Amino acid sequence: MSSVAGKAAKESLGTRFQRTWRGVLKHWQIYCIILLPLAWYIVFSYIPMGGLSLAFKDYKANLGIWGSPWNGLENYSYVMRDPDFFASIWRTLSINLGRLVFVFPFPVLFAIMLNEIRFPKYRKFLQTVMTFPNFLSWVIVSSILINVLSFDGMVNGLLGTFGKEPVNFLGSESFFQPLLYISDIWKSSGWNTIIYLAAITGIDQSQYEAAEVDGASRMQRIFQITIPNLLPTIIIMFILTTGNLMSAGFDQIFNLSNSAVKSVAETLDMYIYRITFQTAPDFGFSTAVSLFRSIVNMVLLVLADRGSRMMGGNGLFA
């Protein structure tokens, strides 16, 4: 009886393989298009994962990654004894939770406002102006901010015109996080707005027409039609943002921070950078911290996905 079942299973597997192969041959153009991105991910994302073994090794440059001796969890034992490591974790969470509160909602609001503008040319102009900063690197953006907010910059020049004392915007710990949020909103909100505008475009226009016939005001249409239809997209973007809580913002913080604000600017990424490049290099230790960060990000991503499902959403893998 078991041999009959095994034979049937083999035949079923062979049939599925043949069906799959026929599908590949039939749609070979699509698979050719997929081939290049797939090769990119394999070469630059999956093969480098082998380097994560450094987290469990005592790295020796003359021996290389594969020849270096294993040291078990010694790197993690050292990490857990470093108070700067835990301080950087709380600092990272503080900054990135603030991004969720102050930065994340802005593209949604901007998309809704753009959708309500009744002049297409003005709407396209605003969208272009807001999207352009996304194509500037943080090196350029930080240079602009430094020139504008430095002691001899434009803002302090205006303050001096009115007889006010100059303000140390870039060297003040209390100004650092608000500066991160404002510059992040200016740089990234226009680009992220495109996603929400695409979702708004997909809303059935008959819903708006029916609401208008029923006498619904513009605000009622926004809250009763636009936002409920945007909610699935908002949830997906929220989940993806939550999955980066431990790593988002290195380029921005690296270019805007200085020694005066080090105590509030050393996030986990900046901590990894410091122990890797600004002290005696210990690549095993820095890899251990990076692996820890990636695992925490993955856990947060899964928890956010499960939370969205519990609240009635579809999650990432519906």
Side-chain angles (χ1 to χ4, degrees):
M1 190 72 177
S2 59
S3 61
V4 175
K7 185 178 180 180
K10 288 181 180 179
E11 290 178 355
S12 177
L13 182 62
T15 302
R16 287 200 299 270
F17 177 79
Q18 291 176 1
R19 189 185 305 116
T20 301
W21 183 244
R22 284 197 298 268
V24 171
L25 292 177
K26 182 179 179 181
H27 305 288
W28 64 270
Q29 299 95 335
I30 297 176
Y31 286 93
C32 286
I33 295 173
I34 296 174
L35 191 61
L36 189 59
L38 184 61
W40 187 93
Y41 273 103
I42 292 173
V43 172
F44 294 103
S45 295
Y46 288 98
I47 293 178
M49 285 184 182
L52 292 175
S53 60
L54 274 180
F56 310 98
K57 288 188 173 187
D58 182 13
Y59 178 70
K60 306 293 183 183
N62 60 327
L63 298 176
I65 295 177
W66 308 116
S68 298
W70 296 90
N71 65 359
L73 298 176
E74 184 178 332
N75 290 324
Y76 286 99
S77 176
Y78 180 64
V79 167
M80 297 303 170
R81 294 197 300 268
D82 187 359
D84 289 341
F85 169 70
F86 293 100
S88 67
I89 289 177
W90 298 122
R91 207 170 291 121
T92 302
L93 290 174
S94 171
I95 290 175
N96 290 332
L97 286 173
R99 291 185 198 274
L100 282 178
V101 175
F102 300 110
V103 180
F104 179 80
F106 200 86
V108 182
L109 298 175
F110 186 57
I112 294 173
M113 287 189 292
L114 279 180
N115 184 61
E116 295 300 317
I117 295 176
R118 294 294 178 258
F119 301 98
K121 291 184 178 180
Y122 182 54
R123 182 169 63 243
K124 291 179 180 179
F125 172 76
L126 284 179
Q127 188 175 355
T128 302
V129 169
M130 287 293 292
T131 304
F132 174 75
N134 178 75
F135 301 100
L136 302 176
S137 70
W138 276 112
V139 176
I140 296 174
V141 173
S142 63
S143 299
I144 295 172
L145 290 173
I146 290 170
N147 287 324
V148 171
L149 299 176
S150 61
F151 270 110
D152 56 351
M154 183 179 68
V155 174
N156 278 316
L158 290 174
L159 291 176
T161 303
F162 294 100
K164 303 291 184 180
E165 292 293 325
V167 178
N168 187 10
F169 293 104
L170 300 174
S172 172
E173 295 181 356
S174 59
F175 283 132
F176 184 70
Q177 284 196 27
L179 180 62
L180 292 182
Y181 301 147
I182 293 171
S183 59
D184 196 4
I185 288 172
W186 179 75
K187 185 178 186 301
S188 64
S189 290
W191 180 258
N192 293 330
T193 298
I194 296 174
I195 299 173
Y196 299 107
L197 281 175
I200 292 174
T201 303
I203 299 175
D204 186 0
Q205 295 301 307
S206 63
Q207 297 182 39
Y208 292 103
E209 294 169 2
E212 192 171 356
V213 170
D214 290 340
S217 65
R218 176 171 293 186
M219 292 301 296
Q220 287 174 328
R221 293 197 296 270
I222 290 173
F223 282 99
Q224 300 299 326
I225 299 175
T226 306
I227 293 179
N229 280 281
L230 271 180
L231 197 57
T233 304
I234 294 173
I235 291 174
I236 294 297
M237 296 300 295
F238 180 82
I239 294 172
L240 294 175
T241 304
T242 303
N244 283 322
L245 275 182
M246 295 294 289
S247 57
F250 171 76
D251 291 344
Q252 180 190 23
I253 294 174
F254 178 78
N255 285 286
L256 288 176
S257 62
N258 52 67
S259 57
V261 295
K262 180 182 177 181
S263 60
V264 295
E266 189 173 78
T267 59
L268 191 57
D269 283 341
M270 292 293 292
Y271 172 78
I272 295 171
Y273 176 82
R274 177 171 63 81
I275 62 177
T276 305
F277 299 108
Q278 294 182 343
T279 59
D282 189 346
F283 294 106
F285 178 73
S286 56
T287 305
V289 180
S290 298
L291 181 58
F292 170 83
R293 180 200 61 188
S294 299
I295 291 173
V296 172
N297 276 337
M298 183 188 70
V299 171
L300 291 172
L301 181 66
V302 173
L303 290 176
D305 180 71
R306 292 291 180 264
S308 72
R309 290 172 181 268
M310 292 173 62
M311 292 186 293
N314 293 326
L316 288 175
F317 309 105

